Amino acid sequence: MTMSTVTLKPREDIRIRRGHPWIYDNEIASVEGGPAPGDEVRAQDSRGRLLGFGFFNPASKIRVRIFSHSSERADGDFFRGIFSAALDWRKRFFDTETQSFRAVFGEADFAPGLIVDLFRGSSAAPGCWLSTQFLSLGVARRREAIVAALQAVFAPDGIAERSDAPVLAHEGIPAFQGILAGSVPETIFMEENGATFAVDVAGGQKTGWFLDQRANRAAAARYARGREVLDVFCNQGGFGILCAKAGAAAVTAVDSSSSALAAAARNAALNGVADRYATAEANAFDYLRELERSGRKFGLVVLDPPAFAKSRSAVEPAYRGYKEVNVRAMRLTERGGILVTCSCSHWFDAARFDAMIADAAFDCGRRYRVIEERSQDLDHPIVSGYDESRYLKCRIIELG
Ligand code: SAH
């Protein structure tokens, strides 16, 4: 079977040559060979030179997603190859036999739209389970081959799918949640940074646990000893519980989701810190305002909000949201106290984020020193040319 060809307009190849894997509909001069939705196509520049092989989706603005520069077919062999390479990368930085980690990070691992998190049960309840999201037509159509390749490379006890993200609508594919292979327990007890966390892979947000913050949680906990800690947007308690384990005087954890807070409280109990751990179900913006009125101060505040900027056009409103919550957090931080502030929005880049922190401090008449400038953990690789892979920012500052 000969392969269909997508030819780009002049000059539209440059971004692709630099490593960006998406070809948009308006960058294409012609499509030859009548590819079916999800088929592999050969992408070439206006002079016929090869750019790569990608998945074709006529329903999406992202018309082609490049998966390889050399393999024409995204078949079982192809996926086994990229999953093995992805595992080799993680083996360099993690103990993949005992730790949980993001096993496949979409485009950054040459699997456009495929997210796979691997959860390992602690020694008390051992096992290995995968939580997957198929977020592009190309990978959704190849579910069977991908599941077989995941089994061959990671040998999990079960594979769950949680493709409930809103991006699916842009790809023209239906959401799906269920078990793809084996069985997955309702709750997985995993270890991270020396603590035990119960992760609900079926019901939790995204894929169940925010693995990208692993190293930042450990970093934050190093400042916690003896301090009163406020963990805002705590989800299932990761930051605050590690702070409590590291000797925080007390932790207040805030989230608007009652199920996340129930999980956080359970995790606090699992780690023997429930007596120093309190949860508050509230809108963070309102809650911080109330705390301010009460006059309470904290020695360490963690801010890990959801992505306020989900697109380029949302950067300005996001700036206001981030700044407001950072101003409020700074006002609650005592002199000499620590603020751990994060943004997981790719569109809100590091320069903007740092400028926002400076503006927030200026607005409350505070000065600060930057102690640590951090990013996402290494199982979420940052790759050249694909700037979307660079998304998480975490700053640890000391406020004067
Ligand atoms: N810090 C967590 C991850 C935070 S994810 C970790 O380390 O795992 C963002 C969290 O913000 C989610 O749990 C979500 O429920 C919560 N959230 C979103 N909007 C909120 C709001 N306005 N007020 C309080 N919590 C909110």
Side-chain angles (χ1 to χ4, degrees):
M1 198 178 87
T2 57
M3 182 169 270
S4 303
T5 301
V6 171
T7 305
L8 273 63
K9 295 176 184 167
R11 301 192 56 77
E12 300 290 10
D13 56 306
I14 295 165
R15 201 185 80 256
I16 312 302
R17 285 192 199 286
R18 294 184 71 108
H20 201 267
W22 299 344
I23 298 171
Y24 290 94
D25 54 353
N26 62 349
E27 297 165 346
I28 294 173
S30 68
V31 178
E32 277 148 46
D39 272 1
E40 293 103 336
V41 292
R42 175 193 151 95
Q44 59 182 29
D45 70 8
S46 59
R47 293 164 59 186
R49 288 176 301 196
L50 175 69
L51 293 172
F53 300 97
F55 297 125
F56 182 74
N57 185 354
S60 172
K61 272 193 177 173
I62 304 177
R63 193 63 39 102
V64 178
R65 290 171 187 257
I66 305 278
F67 58 80
S68 175
H69 299 284
S70 54
S71 296
E72 297 189 8
R73 301 288 170 197
D75 53 14
D77 278 347
F78 169 78
F79 284 111
R80 273 195 300 280
I82 59 163
F83 296 162
S84 300
L87 180 57
D88 286 344
W89 168 263
R90 277 106 183 132
K91 278 183 179 162
R92 290 167 59 186
F93 310 108
F94 303 101
D95 178 358
T96 55
E97 292 298 314
T98 61
Q99 280 186 275
S100 300
F101 55 95
R102 173 149 294 185
V104 181
F105 184 39
E107 277 78 346
D109 283 306
F110 294 104
L114 180 68
I115 304 291
V116 182
D117 284 343
L118 182 151
F119 292 102
R120 260 194 215 287
S122 62
S123 47
C128 167
W129 300 277
L130 303 181
S131 172
T132 63
Q133 296 183 71
F134 293 75
L135 304 178
S136 75
L137 177 65
V139 293
R141 230 191 66 180
R142 291 166 178 78
R143 238 187 216 91
E144 261 180 52
I146 289 171
V147 165
L150 289 172
Q151 286 173 311
V153 174
F154 298 104
D157 297 304
I159 304 178
E161 176 171 351
R162 309 236 9 227
S163 300
D164 53 355
V167 293
L168 286 173
H170 299 297
E171 283 287 303
I173 44 180
F176 177 81
Q177 298 193 30
I179 302 298
L180 299 178
S183 65
V184 179
E186 203 166 298
T187 304
I188 295 170
F189 295 90
M190 62 160 217
E191 273 163 27
E192 184 197 280
N193 293 311
T196 303
F197 294 99
V199 177
D200 179 358
V201 170
Q205 292 180 21
K206 297 271 177 71
T207 55
W209 184 253
F210 295 93
L211 293 160
D212 53 358
Q213 289 278 32
R214 177 197 305 105
N216 297 334
R217 285 191 279 262
R222 289 197 279 272
Y223 303 91
R225 173 162 290 281
R227 296 188 195 259
E228 297 268 339
V229 173
L230 177 64
D231 182 4
V232 190
F233 307 100
C234 69
N235 192 250
Q236 301 173 59
F239 277 98
I241 289 165
L242 286 176
C243 288
K245 278 204 74 165
V251 177
T252 305
V254 190
D255 204 285
S256 57
S257 155
S258 58
S259 58
L261 286 178
R266 176 169 70 169
N267 284 329
L270 267 177
N271 290 284
V273 298
D275 55 329
R276 283 177 290 134
Y277 193 85
T279 59
E281 183 183 335
N283 179 315
F285 290 84
D286 302 338
Y287 189 75
L288 296 187
R289 195 177 303 130
E290 272 172 41
L291 278 177
E292 214 180 300
R293 264 193 230 117
S294 77
R296 244 182 108 179
K297 298 276 186 220
F298 295 85
L300 193 162
V301 178
V302 178
L303 281 183
D304 184 19
F308 288 161
K310 292 215 164 88
S311 66
R312 199 191 299 269
S313 59
V315 166
E316 279 318 305
Y319 169 87
R320 290 192 290 276
Y322 283 123
K323 189 173 150 197
E324 179 179 346
V325 80
N326 275 270
V327 163
R328 295 195 182 286
M330 286 177 186
R331 289 199 189 123
L332 291 169
T333 308
E334 64 194 22
R335 293 204 182 277
I338 302 287
L339 174 65
V340 178
T341 180
C342 311
S343 160
C344 59
S345 171
H346 151 71
W347 293 108
F348 202 75
D349 63 22
R352 274 201 180 80
F353 186 59
D354 290 324
M356 178 280 298
I357 296 170
D359 291 350
F362 180 72
D363 270 24
C364 20
R366 302 285 289 272
R367 291 183 175 249
Y368 61 92
R369 285 190 174 186
V370 178
I371 307 177
E372 297 188 37
E373 296 191 339
R374 310 182 56 88
S375 178
Q376 64 233 36
D377 212 339
L378 290 162
D379 47 348
H380 297 65
I382 296 172
V383 296
S384 61
Y386 177 50
D387 226 31
E388 285 82 351
S389 63
R390 184 194 299 278
Y391 70 100
L392 186 60
K393 296 147 297 280
C394 171
R395 304 289 182 256
I396 303 184
I397 66 175
E398 185 183 80
L399 282 156

